[in-house]
Amino acid sequence: MTSFRPAPAWLSDAVFYQIYPQSFADSDGDGIGDFNGITAHLDHLAWLGVNAVWINPCFTSPFRDAGYDVSDYLSVAPRYGTSDDLATLVREAGRRGIRVLLDLVAGHTSDRHPWFTASADDPDDHRYIWAPEGRPDGFVRSPGSRPGAYLPNFFDSQPALNFGYARMDPAEPWRQSVDAEGPRANRAALRDIMDHWLRLGLAGFRVDMAHSLVKDDPDRSATAEVWTELRGWLDAAHPEAVLLSEWGDPAVSVPAGFHVDFFLQFGGPTNGGPLRSLWNNGEGTADEGWDPLDCFFDPSGKGSPRTFVEAWRAAHDAIGDAGHVSLPTSNHDFSRLNCGPRTAEQLPAAFAFQLTWPTLPAIYYGDEIGMRYIPGLPDTEGSVLGPRYNRAGSRTPMQWDDGPNAGFSTAPADRLYLPVDPDPQRPSVAAQRADEASLLHLAHRLIALRKASPELGPDGSVEVLHSGYPFVYVRGGRHLVVINPRSTPAAFTTDVVGEAGPRALEVKGVEADSGVVTARGFGYGVFDLRPASTSD
């Protein structure tokens, strides 16, 4: 494994919070969220206990893919405000102990980026991948005077930046090596972009489609070398900054140079199996190509935590102390926890697990109050990817209170970026702050417990006692965690629980004494195994 500078000390204590800026808070009444809206709600994040925020792309864009089609990496989109507004957000977040990371789209640009419009008229420009003759499979016909076609990275409006090919092919003589002029220029451009924002006080980047840079790279080794080179530069130039990858395969991405990788609904040897085995109940965003899989957090009790645990252990062993795995509640491309038939009473057990497992937790905005996935929304800025894969349902406005538009915006309802959840019983931050029995208060307490107990962090040990219903494990030799996501009771016998029973720290529906752990349906519990006289 390549030797990198150790990760910044703050990362081990990180609790991430993902903000989809269009939908978080609208400060100027135009129906779209913005920087000032985020700034106005930083106290909510500080109270919750998160200390690192990553914001979906906020650069200038035609928004054909919700900002993942960048037309200028060095300016912010006017819909979100100004560079000064972003600077204020970063400064005010810092005053509250919260770091801010941006979303870096590294593998492609918008087809309206000046780089691309110039390249479409210049056969000698190699910033993008061009086939000078014909139109190979997957390529898009040139929109300019340049003959041939270009390779997109996702939608046709997102031409792939040229980071070279891992393998040459005589039948495709236009393939360039990773050391050709175009790929070298693009690696330099990534350094310049990162340097620009890091010098303005940002704490790092979550990198979109980080695995996609070098083409025809089956084991991703050539792509890994690109990131290894960039990490070397980052360690020297900005040693406190971090890189989070959208790769979905931490065993590969972290050794390549990322500080953190997420378990995602895709990626890795089982195409996202670890995350989907926990949360995916087949509703909301569902890819037709996914293998059927009973998820563990389902009332039927047909799932198992083994798929996740085995994948996490393999990744953890491959990574060592080089970085971390992050476990999200959901994200802007995947169903929320509260999706389909899953009910509010099922969510607390999921948070009790996510905030006590040895990964870095990432909370998707609104999941802390149990916002639900909204089905049937129209295609919005490229949200629909398939007949059952509509991402808009996870991108609806944050529900702050019970006022108009759930407190998200003063705009007329028909001008909102996406409609607010129409359910009159929808949860809100205000209502849950007033109710200490709410999911929001539970998340707040669990985060506080995690911060007060290093054993519950990513570096603490974990011993799985039972990988079924209930799921039982011990963190750091001290904390017993019991999770029962099914609707019916479950029990487990273990010698770690004495007659007196451990001290309850955060418990609902779980009892542990006389060597037996019993959990009611959807029960959870976090206990301190030490005697009361030594527990402080």
Side-chain angles (χ1 to χ4, degrees), residues 27 195 199 220 386 468:
S27 70
D195 187 64
R199 288 183 182 277
R220 310 296 189 195

mmCIF file of all heavy atoms in Angstrom, residues 27 195 199 220 386 468:
data_model
loop_
_atom_site.group_PDB
_atom_site.id
_atom_site.type_symbol
_atom_site.label_atom_id
_atom_site.label_comp_id
_atom_site.label_asym_id
_atom_site.label_seq_id
_atom_site.Cartn_x
_atom_site.Cartn_y
_atom_site.Cartn_z
ATOM 1 N N SER A 27 -33.765 30.939 1.123
ATOM 2 C CA SER A 27 -33.756 32.200 1.872
ATOM 3 C C SER A 27 -34.361 33.373 1.118
ATOM 4 O O SER A 27 -34.728 34.383 1.730
ATOM 5 C CB SER A 27 -32.314 32.554 2.265
ATOM 6 O OG SER A 27 -31.554 32.934 1.125
ATOM 7 N N ASP A 195 -7.257 23.227 -5.300
ATOM 8 C CA ASP A 195 -6.465 24.244 -4.621
ATOM 9 C C ASP A 195 -7.258 25.544 -4.466
ATOM 10 O O ASP A 195 -7.218 26.194 -3.407
ATOM 11 C CB ASP A 195 -5.181 24.499 -5.413
ATOM 12 C CG ASP A 195 -4.216 25.414 -4.700
ATOM 13 O OD1 ASP A 195 -3.715 25.036 -3.620
ATOM 14 O OD2 ASP A 195 -3.961 26.528 -5.207
ATOM 15 N N ARG A 199 -8.152 26.805 -0.619
ATOM 16 C CA ARG A 199 -7.571 28.063 -0.137
ATOM 17 C C ARG A 199 -8.639 29.023 0.388
ATOM 18 O O ARG A 199 -8.324 29.960 1.126
ATOM 19 C CB ARG A 199 -6.767 28.739 -1.255
ATOM 20 C CG ARG A 199 -5.456 28.025 -1.568
ATOM 21 C CD ARG A 199 -4.652 28.749 -2.624
ATOM 22 N NE ARG A 199 -3.429 28.023 -2.937
ATOM 23 C CZ ARG A 199 -2.309 28.102 -2.224
ATOM 24 N NH1 ARG A 199 -2.268 28.901 -1.167
ATOM 25 N NH2 ARG A 199 -1.237 27.419 -2.563
ATOM 26 N N ARG A 220 -9.388 -1.100 -12.124
ATOM 27 C CA ARG A 220 -9.307 0.273 -11.614
ATOM 28 C C ARG A 220 -7.895 0.656 -11.163
ATOM 29 O O ARG A 220 -7.706 1.673 -10.488
ATOM 30 C CB ARG A 220 -10.268 0.499 -10.441
ATOM 31 C CG ARG A 220 -11.693 0.064 -10.684
ATOM 32 C CD ARG A 220 -12.365 0.842 -11.774
ATOM 33 N NE ARG A 220 -13.797 0.544 -11.827
ATOM 34 C CZ ARG A 220 -14.590 0.856 -12.842
ATOM 35 N NH1 ARG A 220 -14.092 1.494 -13.882
ATOM 36 N NH2 ARG A 220 -15.873 0.552 -12.810
ATOM 37 N N GLY A 386 -34.631 5.200 -14.836
ATOM 38 C CA GLY A 386 -35.218 3.943 -15.286
ATOM 39 C C GLY A 386 -36.659 3.877 -14.857
ATOM 40 O O GLY A 386 -37.160 4.746 -14.135
ATOM 41 N N GLY A 468 -27.891 -12.344 13.550
ATOM 42 C CA GLY A 468 -29.251 -12.678 13.136
ATOM 43 C C GLY A 468 -30.209 -11.709 13.794
ATOM 44 O O GLY A 468 -29.899 -10.528 13.951
#
